[in-house]
């Protein structure tokens, strides 16, 4: 039995506040279960959590068991967890089901950033006789991709925010905290109800949910922030509604990108988390430009993870019998071959209007906590590097490293081959690895404090290095966000 997500149910602000007060948050649950990231929560580890982490029964243990591990708790523990009015509100909302002296939840509650988000259980097969596969109308729980997008979203105040392919409504819920009005859209009626249910539960008056196909329910409305985690998996057959994006994986995401010029407000930002199949010799940016059909937009591609096509096929193969599993892997691999995909790349895409459209590609570690300000700083560095006045400003002023920098160098000992170097700003939530030229490395190393560019040029001239090389290297470091005007 699943939850209908009755949108006429009560607000659950009391129950949600109680959960927050006992540490039912990303950090609190991780601490309790011994996880580095809530994304590491695994079905197969449930017995270990129970035996090693939840033996001491307190309110947090009961909340984790009930709302994340899909387990049952005795009524006495529920009394410890929630006061009677909150229990009644949760029961009226259809969340709690009591039987034989114990209680189960018909949905899970996922901590994401500052929000608590109801959605269908992460493991629908568990305790649901007859669910051999994921049901068609399943609302996606909070996945790795959901967390990446939530953590990387730019949290500027905006008038209006749109969350396309909203599922549980997680991104709309988070946007409602910094947008005048948030709008969530999903084609799955259960997902649309789940998003509205979450808004009601959290007592949010500025979140509307619409059911429909992408931008269709929106007319010509424009938004200051558009977030989207579309179905993107290139699947041999359309099996999981929230996951599969047709045989190419692009059926929905292509239309999302193509619609941006009609729905992104001036000065606004659109952010997508997705996967793209990569073909040899075809840069991903070419595909995105084709989808944008000439619209003057800046595109930032942040590559977060790359999986070879074969490993991707194996990861998606299924079947209980080994022969069925191998058949399934064969079908997935054949589809990826037919598409010409050599690798699947997880990317975070950012689009902004720009008179002079540019494309930038970076390689980052997936965000482990809120990384919006870091992405904001990177986009600002790109704009600064493109400013025609930058060179004069650099020549006349002083430069400094923008923060503590971690430098990684490799050289073959005893060989004359030059060293290669990479640098990243230390301590970031989403560190970006920047390859460095030898000149960039040398400049970065000598900038222990603010330095006048004129002094750097004079020292370089003594060593026979031309101004042009130094200025170009400085501009490259500015663009990488490693150095800025002091
Ligand atoms: C990968 S899930 C993302 C859910 C949620 N945004 C998150 O990040 O956790 C993709 C969602 O897109 C929805 N979807 C698929 N095709 C759609 C379409 N044509 N229009 C609107 N939503 C669609 C699915 O129902 C599903 O809820």
């Amino acid at each position: 039995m699943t939850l209908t997500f009755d949108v006429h149910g009560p607000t659950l602000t009391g129950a949600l506040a109680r959960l927050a007060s006992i540490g039912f948050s990303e950090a609190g649950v991780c601490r309790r279960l011994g996880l580095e990231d809530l994304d590491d929560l695994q079905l197969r580890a449930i017995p270990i959590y129970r035996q090693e982490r939840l033996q001491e029964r307190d309110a947090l243990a009961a909340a984790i068991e009930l709302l994340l591990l899909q387990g049952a708790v005795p009524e006495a523990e529920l009394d410890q967890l929630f006061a009677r009015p909150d229990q009644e509100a949760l029961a009226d909302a259809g969340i709690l089901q009591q039987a034989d002296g114990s209680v189960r939840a018909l949905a899970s509650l996922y901590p994401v950033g500052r929000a608590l988000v109801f959605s269908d259980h992460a493991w629908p097969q568990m305790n649901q006789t007859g669910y051999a596969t994921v049901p068609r109308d399943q609302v996606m729980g909070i996945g790795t991709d959901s967390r990446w997008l939530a953590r990387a979203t730019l949290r500027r105040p905006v008038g209006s925010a749109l969350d396309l392919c909203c599922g549980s409504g997680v991104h709309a819920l988070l946007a409602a905290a910094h947008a005048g009005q948030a709008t969530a859209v999903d084609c799955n009626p259960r997902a649309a109800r789940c998003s509205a249910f979450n808004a009601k539960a959290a007592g949010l008056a500025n979140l509307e949910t619409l059911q429909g196909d992408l931008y269709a329910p929106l007319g010509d409305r424009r938004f200051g922030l558009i977030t989207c985690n579309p179905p993107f998996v290139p699947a041999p057959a359309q099996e999981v509604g929230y996951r599969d994006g047709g045989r190419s994986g692009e059926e929905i995401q292509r239309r999302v990108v193509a619609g941006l010029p009609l729905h992104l407000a001036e000065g606004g930002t659109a952010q997508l988390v997705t996967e793209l199949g990569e073909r040899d010799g075809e840069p991903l940016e070419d595909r995105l430009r084709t989808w944008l059909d000439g619209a003057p937009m800046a595109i930032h591609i942040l590559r977060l993870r790359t999986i070879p096509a074969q490993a991707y096929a194996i990861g998606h193969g299924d079947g209980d019998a080994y022969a069925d599993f191998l058949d399934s892997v064969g079908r997935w691999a054949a589809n990826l071959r037919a598409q010409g995909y050599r690798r699947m790349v997880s990317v975070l895409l950012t689009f902004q209007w720009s008179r002079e459209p540019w494309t930038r590609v970076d390689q980052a570690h997936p965000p482990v906590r809120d990384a919006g300000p870091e992405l904001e700083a990177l986009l600002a560095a790109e704009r600064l590097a493109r400013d025609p006045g930058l060179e004069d400003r650099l020549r006349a002023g002083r430069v400094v490293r923008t923060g503590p920098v971690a430098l990684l160098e490799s050289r073959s000992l005893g060989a004359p081959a030059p060293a290669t170097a990479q640098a990243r700003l230390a301590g970031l939530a989403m560190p970006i690895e920047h390859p460095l030229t030898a000149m960039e490395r040398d400049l970065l190393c000598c900038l222990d404090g603010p330095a006048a560019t004129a002094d750097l040029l004079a020292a370089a001239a003594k060593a026979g290095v031309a101004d042009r090389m130094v200025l170009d290297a400085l501009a490259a470091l500015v663009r990488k966000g490693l150095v800025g005007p002091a």
Side-chain angles (χ1 to χ4, degrees):
M1 193 176 165
T2 54
L3 187 63
T4 52
F5 294 115
D6 178 4
V7 293
H8 304 295
T11 62
L12 300 173
T13 46
L16 296 178
R18 164 72 180 149
L19 286 163
S21 76
I22 59 164
F24 190 77
S25 61
E26 280 193 68
V29 173
C30 284
R31 248 189 325 273
R32 186 61 184 263
L33 296 183
L35 304 172
E36 272 193 23
D37 192 322
L38 200 42
D39 201 37
D40 300 334
L41 190 77
Q42 286 189 51
L43 170 65
R44 287 180 292 189
I46 285 182
I48 303 173
Y49 305 140
R50 287 185 180 143
Q51 288 157 18
E52 298 181 8
R53 296 285 176 166
L54 301 175
Q55 284 290 332
E56 188 189 321
R57 301 305 293 184
D58 55 10
L60 182 57
I64 292 173
E65 183 64 60
L66 188 66
L67 297 167
L68 278 175
L69 303 188
Q70 303 178 207
V73 298
E75 282 173 5
E77 285 197 1
L78 190 70
D79 290 340
Q80 208 187 347
L81 176 56
F82 293 119
R84 269 302 143 94
D86 291 337
Q87 288 186 29
E88 279 159 19
L90 286 162
D92 286 353
I95 300 281
L96 297 183
Q97 193 184 43
Q98 279 169 287
D100 305 328
S102 70
V103 185
R104 281 187 181 283
L106 291 187
S108 288
L109 183 65
Y110 303 85
V112 190
R114 291 200 187 137
L116 291 174
V117 184
F118 287 103
S119 191
D120 277 333
H121 290 316
W123 306 297
Q125 305 89 328
M126 205 166 87
N127 305 324
Q128 306 266 19
T129 329
Y131 275 17
T133 53
V134 177
R136 278 257 158 204
D137 62 356
Q138 168 89 0
V139 186
M140 193 174 100
I142 300 301
T144 305
D145 39 2
S146 322
R147 285 191 198 279
W148 287 352
L149 180 57
R151 291 169 181 172
T153 299
L154 304 191
R155 303 271 170 221
R156 303 172 183 173
V158 285
S160 59
L162 168 65
D163 182 21
L164 274 185
C165 300
C166 67
S168 59
V170 49
H171 307 295
L173 283 164
L174 291 166
H178 59 101
Q181 171 75 33
T183 302
V185 178
D186 203 288
C187 65
N188 172 0
R190 272 195 88 239
R193 281 206 305 275
C194 178
S195 170
F197 180 94
N198 272 309
K200 182 84 190 282
L204 290 174
N206 66 337
L207 197 170
E208 61 165 348
T209 303
L210 306 169
Q211 190 218 322
D213 178 27
L214 299 183
Y215 302 101
L218 299 166
D220 57 3
R221 287 165 67 183
R222 289 186 184 265
F223 300 84
L225 174 68
I226 299 178
T227 48
C228 180
N229 175 8
F232 49 67
V233 171
Q238 195 72 16
E239 279 171 351
V240 182
Y242 63 74
R243 183 195 70 177
D244 301 335
R247 294 177 74 89
S248 66
E250 292 175 351
E251 283 178 12
I252 306 297
Q253 52 179 321
R254 182 194 320 120
R255 292 197 290 129
V256 171
V257 173
L260 292 178
L262 294 173
H263 295 281
L264 187 64
E266 204 180 320
T269 302
Q271 292 182 273
L272 271 76
V273 68
T274 189
E275 283 176 0
L276 289 166
E278 192 166 46
R279 305 184 180 100
D280 285 342
E282 186 213 314
L284 298 179
E285 51 263 45
D286 291 359
R287 211 176 305 166
L288 299 175
R289 285 273 166 226
T290 306
W291 294 349
L292 280 179
D293 196 22
M297 286 195 171
I299 305 177
H300 183 231
I301 303 176
L302 201 54
R303 298 172 68 106
L304 297 174
R305 187 177 286 170
T306 301
I307 304 182
Q310 288 182 348
Y312 194 84
I314 294 167
H316 281 86
D318 62 9
D320 289 335
Y322 209 64
D324 295 341
F325 172 74
L326 292 181
D327 279 349
S328 169
V329 170
R331 281 192 299 279
W332 279 84
N335 181 51
L336 296 175
R337 262 197 317 278
Q339 302 299 326
Y341 295 160
R342 302 296 300 271
R343 299 161 288 281
M344 294 302 300
V345 191
S346 298
V347 287
L348 185 78
L349 305 174
T350 305
F351 299 85
Q352 291 179 335
W353 287 109
S354 174
R355 241 173 269 128
E356 188 202 333
W358 48 261
T359 306
R360 170 175 178 144
V361 184
D362 286 299
Q363 173 88 44
H365 296 263
V368 291
R369 53 180 191 280
D370 184 12
E374 294 167 23
L375 187 57
E376 194 81 83
L378 199 74
L379 298 174
E382 179 68 34
R383 283 192 294 271
L384 180 58
R386 289 177 171 275
D387 182 343
L390 177 67
E391 183 163 322
D392 288 346
R393 212 170 139 195
L394 288 177
R395 271 185 189 278
R398 286 146 64 84
V399 287
V400 68
R401 290 199 289 254
T402 52
V405 170
L407 181 71
L408 186 71
E409 269 193 295
S410 75
R411 66 179 87 200
S412 299
L413 295 179
T420 60
Q422 275 195 341
R424 61 177 149 92
L425 284 170
L428 295 193
M430 190 170 65
I432 295 179
E433 303 290 355
H434 298 286
L436 300 179
T437 63
M439 174 66 71
E440 289 164 23
R441 180 202 53 200
D442 293 347
L443 277 170
L444 202 55
C445 289
C446 73
L447 282 178
D448 278 335
T453 306
D455 294 343
L456 295 174
L457 292 174
K462 267 194 200 154
V465 179
D467 282 10
R468 183 75 272 140
M469 281 189 73
V470 179
L471 289 166
D472 285 352
L474 274 180
L477 290 170
V478 167
R479 180 173 180 269
K480 288 168 187 172
L482 298 169
V483 166

